[in-house]
């Protein structure tokens, strides 16, 4: 196990990353009306934009998780934070619906890439109280999402507010550097493939994973639909 201070710094870094990426994820839903006016979107296009963001984030998560497990690495999580910052931080540069959708897709792919790696990393750092640590991880994301939903519309609605978006890349880059430095002395996650030696147990485990994934897709679909109805 890593020393307490090293593990503590890494723990804080992951929580901050979760707060930041979830703050980025709140920008489009909370500022949908402003984006519609800026690029001339119709109501149908804005609905498709919300769906595109959820689709990109949702598909990126299992793909990133599988690759991270096979490569036994956390690097895709760090890459996800960088992509989220670049994609969402440059939305103000979009001149039309197509460019806005492309930048949003990039950012949401990054947000999706971070989450599975972030959650498993938190469990690895605090294996003795994994449930408590994961709850803090989720709370950090919730705080980031609520803060983003509160701040983004207010910042973007001021004159030239969209020009301030690229400035968010600077503190996010500093957070990425802090996170990378925090994990230099921490061993990669252990391979737990031997924990389910029986084929039937493996099959049952993957069935549960599939059910949880479908449930998450349904939940987010309902969440986004309700949010869109609220905007309208």
């Amino acid at each position: 196990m890593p020393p307490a201070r090293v593990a503590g710094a890494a723990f804080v870094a992951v929580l901050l990353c979760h707060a930041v990426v979830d703050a980025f994820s709140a920008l489009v839903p909370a500022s949908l009306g402003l984006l519609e006016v800026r690029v001339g979107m119709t109501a149908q296009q804005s609905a498709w934009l919300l769906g595109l963001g959820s689709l990109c984030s949702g598909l990126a998560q299992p793909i990133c998780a599988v690759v991270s497990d096979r490569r036994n690495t956390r690097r895709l999580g760090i890459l996800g934070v960088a992509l989220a910052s670049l994609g969402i931080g440059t939305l103000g540069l979009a001149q039309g619906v197509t460019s806005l959708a492309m930048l949003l897709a990039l950012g949401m792919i990054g947000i999706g890439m971070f989450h599975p790696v972030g959650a498993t990393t938190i469990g690895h750092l605090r294996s003795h109280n994994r449930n408590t640590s994961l709850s803090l991880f989720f709370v950090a994301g919730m705080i980031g999402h609520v803060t983003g939903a509160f701040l983004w519309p207010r910042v973007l609605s001021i004159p030239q507010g969209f020009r301030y978006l690229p400035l968010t890349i600077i503190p996010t880059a500093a957070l990425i550097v802090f996170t990378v430095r925090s994990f230099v002395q921490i061993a990669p996650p252990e391979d737990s493939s031997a924990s389910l030696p029986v084929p039937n147990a493996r099959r049952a485990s993957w069935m549960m994973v599939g059910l949880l994934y479908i449930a998450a897709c349904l939940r987010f679909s309902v969440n986004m639909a309700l949010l869109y109805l609220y905007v309208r």
Side-chain angles (χ1 to χ4, degrees), residues 13-180:
V14 175
L15 294 184
L16 290 175
C17 285
H18 194 196
V20 167
V21 297
D22 276 16
F24 281 135
S25 72
L27 189 146
V28 170
S31 310
L32 194 58
L34 295 170
L35 291 169
E36 287 179 354
V37 173
R38 181 173 177 81
V39 300
M41 283 192 299
T42 65
Q44 290 78 12
Q45 287 173 328
S46 64
W48 280 108
L49 193 72
L50 288 176
L52 175 66
S54 298
L55 180 67
C56 291
S57 176
L59 291 178
Q61 292 196 36
I63 295 173
C64 175
V66 170
V67 174
S68 297
D69 283 342
R70 291 186 176 180
R71 297 291 182 180
N72 199 31
T73 180
R74 304 186 184 96
R75 293 178 181 176
L76 290 182
I78 300 297
L79 178 61
V81 180
L83 292 180
S85 176
L86 291 175
I88 306 300
T90 55
L91 283 180
L93 303 178
Q95 299 299 314
V97 179
T98 301
S99 56
L100 180 66
M102 292 175 63
L103 292 172
L104 175 64
L106 176 66
M108 294 305 293
I109 288 173
I111 290 169
M113 289 173 61
F114 166 77
H115 278 85
V117 178
T120 54
T121 300
I122 283 291
H124 172 65
L125 292 172
R126 292 286 191 275
S127 58
H128 57 285
N129 54 2
R130 190 180 311 239
N131 292 333
T132 301
S133 301
L134 282 173
S135 69
L136 293 176
F137 178 77
F138 294 132
V139 168
M142 179 192 67
I143 292 174
H145 197 276
V146 172
T147 302
F150 179 81
L151 290 179
W152 292 128
R154 288 160 175 78
V155 172
L156 299 181
S157 61
I158 65 177
Q160 306 298 323
F162 279 89
R163 291 191 175 183
Y164 295 116
L165 268 182
L167 297 178
T168 61
I169 297 175
I170 300 174
T172 307
L175 176 59
I176 291 173
V177 172
F178 170 66
T179 304
V180 172

Side-chain angles (χ1 to χ4, degrees), residues 198-216:
V198 182
N200 289 337
R202 290 179 181 270
R203 192 177 303 113
S205 176
W206 278 111
M207 287 181 61
M208 291 305 300
V209 170
L211 287 173
L212 288 171
Y213 184 73
I214 293 172

